[in-house]
Amino acid sequence: MNKRLMILGSAILILASCNCKQTVSDKYEIEPHSHAKPNQAVITHLDLDINVDFEKEIIKGKATYKIENNDSKQIILDSKYLDIEKVEADGVATDFTLSTPDEVLGSALVINIMKNTKTISVYYNTTDKTEALQWLKPEQTADKTSPFLFTQGQAILTRTWIPIQDSPQIRVTYNATVKVPNNLMAVMSAENPKEKSADGVYNFSMKQKISPYLIAIAIGDIEYKAVSERTGVYAEKSMIEKAHYEFADMEKMVLAAEGLYGKYDWDQFDVIVLPPSFPFGGMENPRLTFATPTVIAGDRSLTSLIAHELAHSWSGNLVTNSTWDDFWMNEGFTVYFETRIMESLYGKDRANMLALIGRQDLAEQVESFKNNPEDTKLKLSLEGRNPDDGMNSIAYDKGYLFLRTLEETVGREKFDVFLKSYFKKHAFSTITTEKFIKYLNKNLLEPNKIDFNTEEWVYKPGVPSNASVIKSDKFKDVSSYIAEFSKTSVVNTEIVKDWTTQEWVYFVRNFPKNFTKEQMSTLDKSYDLTNSGNSYIAMVWYEQSINFDYRGNDVDAKIKEFLTRVGRRWYVSTLFKAYKTNDKVEEALEIYKESRSNYHSVTANTIDDILGYSK
Ligand code: BES
Ligand code: ZN
């Protein structure tokens, strides 16, 4: 066959193999972490009707979806550890199958539909294997009087409490009716109540389209206190005043963010302070950030976390990473934006201290990945792996450094104009790394005739040599003190008087290798770091206590108490890793055996891996 004929032949083959009435769209990327095939049939709106049973620790519900059908005979949802009772298409029972579960992805829930099917309903129960939910006993809460429940959807856990097309490319609006015990209040990533209802029934509506990983609920004996008209805090009674004080600058943060990259599109910005087992510092659930109580330091020194979650209202929630391989598009942009908000409210000194701490985290992460350099690329390939594997300092701090370097190269003014239009152009849609690079070239680099090694930053391991150099005079002073103290062991009480949390953290993290436990003891006698009320300072001090085998001031008991109460994965994993690298796994397991039951599944899974623990 000559060449032309061959081309013609294969064109006919392609035409014949495609049922061309079945206009399969290519709007959605094929992605490895969802069973859904949204190009064939896709959900567009969710009506959730659930009953939350704290006694049985089960959510029983019905999820009804409006769908758009591209002439398909099936729609596929993700489902993991759910007990599916029945499924309906437009109110009539229909057949469905559940595929053999994959350990990471769960099962494909394949539902038969007709060409003109408009809605599907799934009746289901959650099970005790659910990974998103954490059911807490009263003792695990701040007030210790009522039980509590919260969900964590990111990255692929929403499918363990709602059957759904669980890919970040999907966007739905939702309404929910939620029945909870009478004395409790329910709040969601939606328009929220400010008071308890008399009958325990709550109705929610989320009118902006969001990705499934952002659907969230928290239920407990909580109350609300406004900070401004559109910002405020939810917390248990014993925490509400502290939270309100700590987050007093929320409105200023929203104003600063709007000043940078355009209007806040979600109407309300509230924060709920959860019990201490919440596995993250914060989670950017739209309209209602979920936060760990460990950010409440009493002096507002850890509130960059609020700036971070707020920034996700643009980078993440408005413009969403298309796949978890593009996770840096969510987190790197958010750290950049967070740092800009912090600079705008509190000045360059504070912003640069935060950035330099992140720079150190990045250096440590790159070093720890020296045998897996692939994992230090911004664009990841997580196919066949748990997307959780990509959730480390690379996405955050290398992503940040890339954007900061870009900003310094093109100039802040141009960069801000660019970012503002980027958010506007892609609002309520998703973005791949590739789409971003194209947009960057066309709208920033080419018009300004700037040569930039974007490809190296994104697709090559490690940190490129043109990386911006972050400097902090404040940290220089801290370093001088460390150098002096490690030589002389003479404590300086004067220099630390005006130190912020960031300076303390930098100080403790940078003890030289030849530091001794006697020197730690000397410091502890002066500064009582073992009993620091600041969770961040305490955490890095405990890490060093493990590293340098310092056992004074009852620090072992303190560490154990901390690890048993707090479930924030970053803190807990830092400490368990320290035990591991210092050959103290036995000691760690002693603690973990007791603390594990207080952890949410994402924290427990991480620590299981670190310690090689199997239940
Ligand atoms: N979206 C993340 C939390 C997350 C990431 C949950 C990946 C599940 C999978 C959130 O915005 C975040 O980055 N939280 C950080 C705090 C932040 C200040 C760096 C955290 O929890 O430590
Ligand atoms: Zn984040």
Side-chain angles (χ1 to χ4, degrees), residues 154 282-284 305 308-309 311-312 315 327 330-332 334-335 338 396:
Q154 197 177 12
M283 177 64 214
E284 65 272 26
L305 182 123
H308 179 97
E309 305 313 335
H312 272 307
S315 41
F327 180 59
N330 270 20
E331 297 300 342
T334 296
V335 175
E338 162 202 345
Y396 289 80

